[in-house]
Amino acid sequence: MGSSFSFLILQKNYLATPSPVPGLGDLPESCAASVLVYLDPPEICKLAILNKAFNCASSADFVWESKLPKNYGSVIQRVFGESDVFPKDLCKRDIYSRLCRPNPFDGGTKKFWLDKRTGKICMSISSNGLAITGIDDRRYWSRIQTEESRFHSVAYLQQIWWLEVDGEVEFPFPAGSYSLFFRLQLGRAYKRFGQRLCNSEHVHGWDIKPVQLKLSTSDGQQATSQFYLKEPGKWIYYHAGDFFVADSGKSTKVKFSMTQIDCTHTKGGLCVDSVIVYPGEFGKRLQRF
């Protein structure tokens, strides 16, 4: 979490010289905590350094439990299982802090985290966690190490006739709406003398027929979208569709795919980084396409 929550640790010599005039520092801890419940986590963190009353109140379990997903226990079980990686005796504030980090699961092919401000679930699924037709044939695909991916690796398509990428995730998503995106780039980025450049020599075929993106859920929801891939050298989030979770008490399975199976022409020069799942309101920020 870095510095975002580090100030919640009470430092020695915290108290300043007492003032004879009553102020916020004279608030009972329970009253201060009742105020913090109505604030978002960054605001709680700012008030925690205001005085001792708010600092102590900012550690109250009921304050941070109100910021956690209602089914956070199921989320922890899904991601960490019975392992000792996630300590059993953490207070609610520390649980929130831990879940705001990118937490890998399913063999490191997926990561989830809580948005620091809202406590809502975000998720990324790496290209290694996708079923890509022909991925083991070096004539078509290769794995490229890169700092531009959350997973430090992307799948690069040199040339192919039949593009098919499938994936799925089963997760106890909290109730709410979600948007799913494919993070793609035309061309292969590299650095020269510290400057980012893009090799577009293999880019072709994406302006002839659109790529089709699909998603479906275990409760029957479906969405489809089509895009012509464009703008070599830029990572673009292509919106596959949205889904809604009504019941936090059970897991939702989401299946998704990207295809371009018109075999009248080849296509190539595509980097597939990941599939992203964001809360619906966040997804609107990414909907360039």
Side-chain angles (χ1 to χ4, degrees):
M1 287 301 297
S3 62
S4 299
F5 292 91
S6 60
F7 52 76
L8 294 181
I9 302 174
L10 187 62
Q11 303 294 325
K12 292 182 179 180
N13 302 320
Y14 178 89
L15 290 176
T17 304
S19 170
V21 181
L24 285 176
D26 299 304
L27 274 177
E29 184 180 324
S30 59
C31 292
S34 297
V35 172
L36 296 181
V37 166
Y38 294 97
L39 304 179
D40 63 32
E43 291 171 333
I44 293 173
C45 293
K46 290 177 182 178
L47 282 180
I49 61 175
L50 182 63
N51 55 47
K52 184 177 180 181
F54 278 105
N55 186 279
C56 295
S58 69
S59 301
D61 271 356
F62 79 90
V63 170
W64 289 97
E65 187 156 19
S66 68
K67 310 306 173 187
L68 287 163
K70 293 186 182 301
N71 65 337
Y72 72 90
S74 298
V75 172
I76 291 173
Q77 178 65 30
R78 170 68 177 88
V79 175
F80 300 99
E82 299 298 332
S83 70
D84 295 330
V85 176
F86 197 93
K88 308 298 183 184
D89 56 350
L90 293 180
C91 66
K92 297 298 188 294
R93 181 195 66 189
D94 291 342
I95 291 175
Y96 190 92
S97 175
R98 178 61 183 270
L99 295 184
C100 283
R101 306 175 190 173
N103 295 282
F105 65 105
D106 284 358
T109 61
K110 303 178 180 71
K111 293 182 180 181
F112 109 92
W113 62 97
L114 299 184
D115 174 68
K116 293 179 182 179
R117 179 171 294 277
T118 66
K120 293 190 175 182
I121 294 281
C122 303
M123 184 180 296
S124 182
I125 302 159
S126 76
S127 59
N128 285 318
L130 305 175
I132 303 176
T133 300
I135 188 64
D136 295 324
D137 193 328
R138 291 301 181 90
R139 294 175 299 173
Y140 308 124
W141 290 91
S142 60
R143 300 285 185 185
I144 299 176
Q145 301 300 310
T146 174
E147 296 178 356
E148 297 187 358
S149 170
R150 184 182 295 274
F151 297 92
H152 308 294
S153 172
V154 300
Y156 178 70
L157 171 63
Q158 182 167 310
Q159 178 174 286
I160 206 166
W161 292 90
W162 180 289
L163 174 70
E164 187 171 15
V165 179
D166 297 289
E168 65 178 51
V169 61
E170 187 168 359
F171 198 82
F173 289 100
S177 62
Y178 297 87
S179 297
L180 187 144
F181 299 84
F182 280 79
R183 185 174 187 259
L184 310 173
Q185 176 186 260
L186 291 181
R188 179 173 177 173
Y190 66 97
K191 284 189 176 181
R192 186 176 183 181
F193 303 118
Q195 183 179 4
R196 184 184 188 273
L197 302 172
C198 181
N199 184 340
S200 303
E201 66 172 319
H202 296 136
V203 177
H204 69 282
W206 305 109
D207 56 345
I208 300 175
K209 291 290 180 68
V211 167
Q212 186 173 69
L213 307 181
K214 292 184 177 180
L215 76 80
S216 62
T217 65
S218 50
D219 61 358
Q221 299 176 68
Q222 296 186 6
T224 303
S225 57
Q226 293 186 344
F227 301 97
Y228 288 94
L229 306 188
K230 55 185 69 177
E231 296 190 48
K234 293 184 179 180
W235 286 108
I236 295 176
Y237 294 83
Y238 289 91
H239 183 217
D242 302 324
F243 63 95
F244 183 80
V245 176
D247 185 1
S248 301
K250 59 182 180 180
S251 291
T252 300
K253 178 179 284 189
V254 182
K255 295 184 178 182
F256 42 86
S257 66
M258 174 176 65
T259 57
Q260 213 288 26
I261 55 178
D262 183 341
C263 293
T264 60
H265 67 283
T266 62
K267 38 267 177 186
L270 175 67
C271 284
V272 179
D273 173 39
S274 57
V275 171
I276 308 291
V277 179
Y278 277 148
E281 60 268 34
F282 293 11
K284 294 177 181 178
R285 307 173 193 169
L286 302 177
Q287 289 184 24
R288 293 187 56 197
F289 299 99

